[in-house]
Amino acid sequence: MARRARTAHRSCSAPRGRKPPCGQRSLAGYSPWGHKESDATERTRQALLFMEFSRQEYWSELPFPPPGDLPNPGIKPASPASPELAAPVCCSARYNLAFLSFFGFFVLYSLRVNLSVALVDMVDSNTTAKDNRTSYECAEHSAPIKVLRNQTGKKYQWDAETQGWILGSFFYGYIITQIPGGYVASRSGGKLLLGFGVLGTAVFTLFTPLAADFGFGALVALRALEGLGEGVTFPAMHAMWSSWAPPLERSKLLSISYAGAQLGTVVSLPLSGVICYYMNWTYVFYFFGLVGIIWFILWICLVSDTPETHKTITPYEKEYILSSLKNQLSSQKSVPWIPMLKSLPLWAIVVAHFSYNWTFYTLLTLLPTYMKEVLRFNIQENGFLSAVPYLGCWLCMILSGQAADNLRARWNFSTLWVRRVFSLIGMIGPAIFLVAAGFIGCDYSLAVAFLTISTTLGGFCSSGFSINHLDIAPSYAGILLGITNTFATIPGMIGPIIARSLTPENTIGEWQTVFCIAAAINVFGAIFFTLFAKGEVQNWAISDHRGHRN
């Protein structure tokens, strides 16, 4: 008996300096012979216990065999919440949400930018000919394209100023619903808010040809309504991710989700041009509007606001998500507006978001003008070239999301370090190449290359300040994004106006000033964020002022 007791004592002992793996840990749910019980909740608890043993390197001392459906125990996870051990990626509910939201933002940006292409065919070319201010510093690079094309679409007598109001009216609606959208999503969930935001934008898009027939005022009002619908989408999605994204998978999931916006730009620019060319401009709005309605039906049927209400999620994945977010979400019923608005980490995101969008909207709205009027190369003649910068940004967003989470989960870099470094790369890098593009003279091929690199490097910000809202206040991420995106919409409204006022003659020197101003704003935003950003949940975001610090 004494020998048997000593043997049992050795089986429950741990190497010197380690916590004993048994005696202090519950092994409920396993029979004395190591067989698993059938209860799903108990099975999940044993899987989490098994992960804890794996983290502490107690493989040889487990008093029961590991669950058969867990990965190879020879692979040591970096943390107890390691996604490889915690829940599978393939066919998981959280990644299904990421890919479906990816296509949702694909549709949103297709609906946003298609008017920029269609407007060229909507306007009588004789009306805008007198407004062109072509600089003759560079030689002509474009050759007239003589291709038979459809000319059945109706033409309108809108001058350059009128066109500017039509294109800018979207932002006047878009800026209004940012903060209300985040507040509603934090209260009632983001699923319906985001879904109806896309649906409303799609339906209004279908009525664009009719509004154009009614006149300039009707079209401006319609575009403002589209902006109202799109304004709630990003805050609503952020609010949903606060309940769905485990901390060590945030960069991956959110970069997949929001990368759809860039791909929507990549596809819709050339595709809208093809539709205008071979059909007429009205079909651009009919096509993308119908795609938006189809997406809405899929979204309503397949998505839930939280893991608890999802119909097909496995108990294993649900337990993993909920346990990873434990102590990060607040139980407060009221929003802590005063502490929130006094929070310096929030204002660090505001400044970074504003600065980044200044450069982004400058390129988005004025790049075709710069290429056509200064370098005398009409980028609209080549749909591929017009999409290349955004294709690079899309790829960079996907890859940077994977890299950011790997640095945190496998290499134990802090969340704050990752957010700072990725923001610096995503803001200072584009600033350097934007300035370089303005000082290369008339080499249009090198200009396209530099501008493409500038836009591509901006994709790093998707794993930088863009998701820092979820790091500092997961419960109020939708509201925080509404606040930062409100400020970040201002550059889209005033940036192009300031740029056009600085380029009355469209000379290279004038555009160098525009690019230098945008680059300086970008660098300032990167430095401000680096100095004042935080990577952990703030005290005001947790009801009892105690919570997990990532």
Side-chain angles (χ1 to χ4, degrees), residues 46 64 98 104 134 141 263 309 384 396 402 404 502:
Q46 297 309 319
F64 53 84
T134 302
H141 294 291
L263 191 63
T309 58
F384 177 74
C396 187
Q402 300 292 321
L502 294 173

Side-chain angles (χ1 to χ4, degrees), residues 95-174:
Y95 275 86
N96 289 341
L97 173 62
F99 286 115
L100 197 55
S101 61
F102 170 91
F103 286 109
F105 286 104
F106 174 94
V107 172
L108 274 176
Y109 265 65
S110 298
L111 296 171
R112 179 187 295 196
V113 305
N114 56 13
L115 180 62
S116 301
V117 179
L119 193 63
V120 177
D121 267 10
M122 295 171 68
V123 177
D124 187 351
S125 59
N126 294 326
T127 305
T128 57
K130 61 179 180 294
D131 295 316
N132 293 338
R133 297 172 293 172
T134 302
S135 171
Y136 294 96
E137 291 180 281
C138 299
E140 178 70 51
H141 294 291
S142 301
I145 298 179
K146 296 182 180 180
V147 179
L148 292 177
R149 57 180 296 177
N150 192 297
Q151 298 285 352
T152 59
K154 188 175 180 180
K155 304 292 184 180
Y156 302 95
Q157 304 296 318
W158 293 332
D159 59 20
E161 183 180 356
T162 301
Q163 294 175 53
W165 276 101
I166 293 172
L167 292 172
S169 57
F170 172 89
F171 293 103
Y172 292 96
Y174 187 73

Side-chain angles (χ1 to χ4, degrees), residues 69 78 207 237 255 294 338 460 465 473 532 546:
D69 56 349
F207 286 101
M237 193 70 249
S255 62
I294 294 172
I338 301 301
F460 277 94
F465 72 83
F532 301 111
R546 291 182 295 105

